[in-house]
Amino acid sequence: MIKAGSNTSIPIIFHFEPDLMGYMERYSKDNISVVYVAMKNSGYAGMNAFTNDLPGLINGINYLRNLYAPNVLLAYHCSVWGTNVDIQKSKPSNSIVTSLSQQSASWLANLDPSNHFSLIFFETTDRDAAFYCAKDPQGAWCSASSSRNSTTSCCPLYWWNEDDWTRNILYIQGVLSIANKRGVFWQMPYGNSVMRTMDNTNHHFQDNKVQWVLGADDNKNMDRYNQIGVIAFLWGGGSDTTVTLLDTAKDGVYNPPAIDGNNRMSTSISDDGGYFATRSSAYLSRGFLSLPDYAQNSGNVTSGSNTSGSNTSGSNTSGGGSGNGGATGGSGRMNGVLSWVLKALY
């Protein structure tokens, strides 16, 4: 926080440990007080004022932010499996998904009743679909007939279809509308099934999420998330062998024999064959989506401004920026966050 507070030239988002939030939701269920957090025994005198539980932890983080880095926006994570029902594995009905989203929103409200946090982060999967088959071909995430040469049949739970996206949108819509906050995706996998370079070896694993979000020229799929309050997609896997936008595989321009119909030849040294760069550039050239604004404490949608961009680490951001930002608790800062991301590389 001290380091973040010393740099007031750019907006900064503090994304609190994501997996911890999911596991704490699983463990505590409807009673967040059952989780003991040693706030009063932390060794830092400033924490003595806070209760030894999860709300105390949230209040303590807010205290440190206000003390050292008031320029920072706080964000917590909402995992789709935190309710103990993983909607990606179980594929429940829409009515159950809605109920689960309400459950998660209620848990987050109890965690942060004073509304210190401004954003909620979500995830799809943090690794490319074919990664799971390559690393654990008979595991729970893969089918019995796993084959390196058939990503779609090998990884039915990670290779999302339209129903999977619909469930995810429904869940996130429920959480964001109740919480009255903006959402951000993180660790979206870079894999694609278009480029020849994607042969399901290390750093070249196939997936279809880039294609779904950025593949079309009409922004239709991205706008489905835009309309429910998602302001950005942060790209980049959560393992050291997932796909990157660099030549992490050290194999240069790589065009092995096609599998699954991925016939497009690559002229890029990027591990994804250059597909993400091509599609994100196409999105930027079309002009940004207009991000709706949400009236405070309601789901009513009005007009707003927008932006998009990438960061310099290889994990990229694309999506809309906020307009008046009533639901974020900080309109100017929220616009600044996405505007800065845009200026960083573009």
Side-chain angles (χ1 to χ4, degrees):
M1 283 296 185
I2 294 175
K3 184 177 181 180
S6 67
N7 190 345
T8 58
S9 62
I10 59 173
I12 295 172
I13 297 173
F14 179 86
H15 177 202
F16 187 62
E17 171 58 30
D19 285 342
L20 174 65
M21 302 294 285
Y23 284 114
M24 290 302 95
E25 183 182 358
R26 273 187 171 186
Y27 177 75
S28 62
K29 298 181 181 178
D30 295 331
N31 185 8
I32 59 174
S33 64
V34 303
V35 178
Y36 177 80
V37 183
M39 300 300 292
K40 298 182 185 298
N41 306 105
S42 67
Y44 180 72
M47 298 295 100
N48 291 336
F50 304 110
T51 54
N52 289 327
D53 53 20
L54 286 173
L57 175 62
I58 295 301
N59 288 329
I61 293 170
N62 180 63
Y63 169 83
L64 294 174
R65 185 272 301 270
N66 291 342
L67 181 63
Y68 295 114
N71 58 307
V72 166
L73 286 169
L74 298 178
Y76 45 57
H77 199 95
C78 181
S79 295
V80 297
W81 45 266
T83 61
N84 276 311
V85 178
D86 190 328
I87 65 173
Q88 186 54 34
K89 287 184 178 180
S90 61
K91 303 186 184 299
S93 66
N94 287 351
S95 61
I96 292 177
V97 172
T98 298
S99 177
L100 293 171
S101 71
Q102 294 168 349
Q103 182 178 328
S104 291
S106 176
W107 188 84
L108 291 170
N110 290 332
L111 185 72
D112 183 28
S114 298
N115 207 30
H116 297 311
F117 282 54
S118 299
L119 289 164
I120 304 178
F121 276 57
F122 300 91
E123 78 280 333
T124 53
T125 57
D126 67 347
R127 290 163 174 79
D128 311 283
F131 170 95
Y132 292 92
C133 290
K135 302 303 180 183
D136 186 17
Q138 300 302 322
W141 287 101
C142 297
S143 67
S145 58
S146 297
S147 168
R148 171 166 289 183
N149 294 324
S150 184
T151 305
T152 54
S153 63
C154 169
C155 303
L157 295 178
Y158 272 105
W159 191 272
W160 283 26
N161 60 32
E162 192 60 34
D163 289 339
D164 295 316
W165 288 107
T166 297
R167 276 187 292 269
N168 186 262
I169 290 170
L170 186 61
Y171 174 83
I172 292 173
Q173 181 181 27
V175 173
L176 292 180
S177 63
I178 294 172
N180 200 28
K181 299 182 190 298
R182 298 294 193 191
V184 174
F185 270 95
W186 88 309
Q187 284 193 330
M188 297 276 286
Y190 280 125
N192 67 79
S193 63
V194 176
M195 309 302 294
R196 280 274 290 273
T197 190
M198 312 308 291
D199 67 345
N200 292 340
T201 57
N202 283 351
H203 307 296
H204 298 300
F205 295 114
Q206 291 190 10
D207 204 310
N208 64 347
K209 296 178 182 64
V210 176
Q211 289 154 254
W212 193 91
V213 176
L214 290 169
D217 288 329
D218 57 9
N219 295 336
K220 180 180 179 181
N221 288 337
M222 187 188 293
D223 195 44
R224 291 173 65 184
Y225 280 100
N226 177 55
Q227 293 298 323
I228 65 172
V230 172
I231 65 170
F233 293 91
L234 307 181
W235 298 86
S239 168
D240 58 1
T241 57
T242 51
V243 181
T244 76
L245 299 188
L246 307 173
D247 185 19
T248 309
K250 306 298 183 185
D251 51 12
V253 177
Y254 179 60
N255 286 294
I259 59 174
D260 289 337
N262 59 336
N263 294 312
R264 188 178 302 177
M265 300 292 285
S266 173
T267 59
S268 169
I269 65 171
S270 172
D271 291 334
D272 78 329
Y275 183 76
F276 183 89
T278 299
R279 297 314 306 159
S280 58
S281 295
Y283 167 70
L284 290 171
S285 68
R286 291 193 297 271
F288 312 136
L289 286 172
S290 178
L291 183 73
D293 191 25
Y294 289 80
Q296 190 70 28
N297 298 320
S298 80
N300 296 327
V301 177
T302 58
S303 61
S305 61
N306 61 88
T307 186
S308 172
S310 296
N311 71 25
T312 58
S313 67
S315 297
N316 302 268
T317 304
S318 64
S322 133
N324 294 330
T328 69
S331 59
R333 288 188 294 174
M334 185 59 61
N335 253 334
V337 169
L338 276 301
S339 296
W340 174 79
V341 168
L342 173 64
K343 293 173 183 176
L345 283 187
Y346 294 92

